[in-house]
């Protein structure tokens, strides 16, 4: 198949000054990022503060900042792969209004072009519209017509969601480490906590429904049950930007050890499934970047008001 330029343009008129909106897009990839749709999608990250030459991307999409006109325009050149770029520009419309435009322009051919039309185009358009929703909400406090992901996009997101990685039992998992005097089995599975995800262990209790709480700290929740053949504990640790599901088991006799020998081969798959499913559910239920920005600015305004009143 011959090369073809894919060009995709999205625009949104926002009832806010261009300077206000420009200040928001200048924080793309920052901490906090007020507009990129996280945690519903992987965060935009760079190897340095936003500026020409910064390398990064979101998920498997990689790019470099090629142009940065503060408060007005940012262009990202794709790296590596076919030539192309995507950019976001703010155009003043009046003193209290502006137009935000996102343009993607890329040369695609062969399988890449087929993949674009089959899956990537719908996902890209959803992410861009959610970004524009966040800009509008952060700047004005409301969104007139928020995007709703299609069934195809929701299916792609479910299939592509991050998978837990095997790690050693964390040193910070004190409840898990002190659960038993002797441990016959242990494992741990970990996932990243993107901005906006809940960091209160209580929010993650649904990973293991039906298991009573055995202990808790401000960063760790311990669940588990005791039985004749073995005792089981599961720890949910929220620390260092990750959530870790750890399991420790103590057997009582030969029957417990035989049971463990069978179940230990099924347990990792079940632990990964439960953690991943809860991670996705909590991410999709979390406040959007625009909502978090409005809450943050509201808190700051409240603090300034209290300082003035106290002064």
């Amino acid at each position: 198949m011959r090369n073809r330029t894919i060009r995709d343009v999205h625009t949104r008129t926002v009832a806010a000054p261009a300077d206000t909106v420009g200040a928001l897009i200048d924080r793309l990839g920052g901490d906090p990022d007020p507009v990129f749709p996280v945690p519903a999608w992987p965060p935009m990250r760079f190897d340095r503060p936003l500026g020409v030459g910064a390398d990064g991307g979101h998920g498997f999409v990689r790019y470099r900042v090629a142009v940065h006109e503060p408060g007005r325009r940012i262009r990202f050149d794709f790296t590596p792969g076919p030539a192309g770029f995507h950019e976001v520009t703010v155009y003043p419309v009046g003193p209290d209004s502006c137009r935000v435009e996102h343009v993607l322009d890329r040369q695609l051919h062969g399988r890449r072009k087929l993949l674009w039309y089959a899956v990537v185009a719908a996902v890209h358009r959803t992410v861009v519209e959610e970004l524009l929703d966040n800009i509008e909400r952060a700047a004005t406090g409301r969104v007139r017509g928020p995007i709703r992901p299609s069934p195809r996009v929701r299916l792609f997101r479910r299939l592509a969601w991050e998978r837990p990685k095997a790690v050693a039992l964390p040193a910070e998992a004190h409840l898990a480490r002190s659960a038993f005097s002797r441990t016959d089995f242990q494992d741990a599975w970990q996932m990243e906590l993107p901005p906006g995800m809940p960091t209160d262990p209580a929010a993650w209790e649904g990973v293991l429904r039906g298991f009573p709480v055995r202990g808790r700290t401000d960063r760790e929740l311990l669940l588990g049950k005791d039985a004749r053949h073995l005792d089981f504990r599961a720890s949910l640790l929220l620390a260092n930007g990750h959530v870790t599901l750890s399991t420790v088991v103590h057997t009582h006799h030969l029957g417990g050890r035989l049971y463990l020998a069978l179940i230990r081969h099924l347990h990792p798959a079940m632990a990964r499934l439960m953690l991943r499913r809860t991670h996705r559910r909590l991410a999709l239920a979390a406040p959007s970047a625009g909502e978090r920005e409005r809450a943050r600015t509201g808190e700051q305004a409240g603090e300034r008001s209290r300082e003035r009143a106290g002064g």
Side-chain angles (χ1 to χ4, degrees), residues 226-281:
D226 296 338
R228 285 185 176 183
H229 57 304
L230 58 76
D231 299 336
F232 162 89
R233 297 290 184 272
S235 157
L236 285 157
L237 176 72
L238 285 297
N240 304 316
H242 292 84
V243 55
T244 308
L245 173 61
S246 304
T247 302
V248 291
V249 177
H250 169 70
T251 61
H252 298 305
H253 47 61
L254 177 60
R257 291 191 290 275
L258 290 174
Y259 178 79
L260 178 61
L262 293 174
I263 201 69
R264 69 188 303 160
H265 299 293
L266 299 175
H267 166 78
M270 293 302 298
R272 292 194 302 268
L273 174 64
M274 292 184 293
L275 179 59
R276 184 171 181 249
R277 181 173 57 193
T278 303
H279 188 278
R280 184 177 67 248
R281 176 177 60 82

Side-chain angles (χ1 to χ4, degrees), residues 132-148:
L132 295 175
D133 284 351
N134 284 327
I135 289 174
E136 187 175 0
R137 186 177 298 280
T140 71
R142 65 186 183 93
V143 180
R144 288 165 294 177
I147 183 70
R148 294 287 183 265

